[in-house]
Amino acid sequence: MQNATSFTVYRSLFAAVRFFYENGPRMVGLSVVWFLCSLPVVTIGPSTLGAYGAILSLREEQAFDYDRIRTLLGRHGLSSVLLTGLPVLLAATGALYVRRYFATESTVALVLAVVTLYAAAYAALVLIPTFVELANGAPLEQSIRSGIRWTSANAVGAIAMAMATLMLFVLAGALTVAFVLVFAGIAFSLHLDVLAPTVAE
């Protein structure tokens, strides 16, 4: 994975939009499938991992490699559920501490709320490079370590990528149907272009 800056994220956003446009019907189909498969919520992890694998295969082979996607999910499907559950659990814990702070004005509750919410945000940022590594065929432990190292070494780039993803989420969500049709395709193409540009070329 390459280092990232705000500029590379900005450039990758346009590259992701162009890639989506060039592969319109397939990318729209991928976005719709991702949305439907993510509706149970607990399946967001496997759905996202599968989407990364699908886009990687489309970049490399100009077609979706369904065998590759099935193998990827068979190997790391359960792990992706557990990985996506971590930031959710931390965020829920942080929300409870926030509620406790407003009820009691306890300094300890405030400190714990800040710590757990920060940990939740950091865990969410680490998930993106971790999933990209998994989609590229790396083992689970190596992918997690790579995700942590990349996020720590590229804090500005990681935050810029998260903000760009949030912007896409808000814009697509405001258009309602557009969220289903385009969000996953553009957002995950953005992540892959930032983290694996050699694949994107």
Side-chain angles (χ1 to χ4, degrees), residues 90-102:
L90 289 170
T93 303
L96 291 176
Y97 282 126
V98 169
R99 183 177 178 182
R100 182 174 179 82
Y101 168 73
F102 283 114

Side-chain angles (χ1 to χ4, degrees), residues 7 11 40 50-52 59 67 81 85 99 104 109 118 122 124 138 140 143 156-157 162 167 174 177 181 189 193:
F7 175 74
R11 184 181 61 191
Y52 281 133
R59 289 183 186 277
D67 288 335
V81 173
R99 183 177 178 182
T104 65
Y118 175 84
Y122 183 78
L140 177 61
S143 297
V156 173
M167 180 191 72
V177 176
L181 299 178
S189 294
D193 199 86

Side-chain angles (χ1 to χ4, degrees), residues 27-161:
M27 294 299 286
V28 167
L30 179 141
S31 296
V32 172
V33 171
W34 175 84
F35 175 79
L36 294 175
C37 291
S38 297
L39 286 177
V41 181
V42 294
T43 57
I44 289 177
S47 300
T48 302
L49 182 60
Y52 281 133
I55 295 172
L56 278 173
S57 67
L58 183 59
R59 289 183 186 277
E60 296 169 2
E61 306 168 24
Q62 290 73 54
F64 292 140
D65 186 341
Y66 296 104
D67 288 335
R68 174 178 178 173
I69 298 167
R70 279 193 293 268
T71 300
L72 176 63
L73 292 177
R75 184 178 301 166
H76 298 300
L78 179 58
S79 299
S80 66
V81 173
L82 298 176
L83 286 171
T84 50
L86 178 60
V88 173
L89 178 62
L90 289 170
T93 303
L96 291 176
Y97 282 126
V98 169
R99 183 177 178 182
R100 182 174 179 82
Y101 168 73
F102 283 114
T104 65
E105 297 187 356
S106 166
T107 303
V108 174
L110 177 61
V111 170
L112 290 173
V114 171
V115 170
T116 51
L117 289 175
Y118 175 84
Y122 183 78
L125 289 176
V126 168
L127 278 184
I128 297 174
T130 298
F131 274 29
V132 169
E133 283 288 275
L134 288 174
N136 270 308
L140 177 61
E141 184 177 350
Q142 177 184 324
S143 297
I144 294 173
R145 289 179 177 176
S146 295
I148 293 172
R149 282 197 301 268
W150 186 89
T151 305
S152 299
N154 297 273
V156 173
I159 292 172
M161 184 166 62

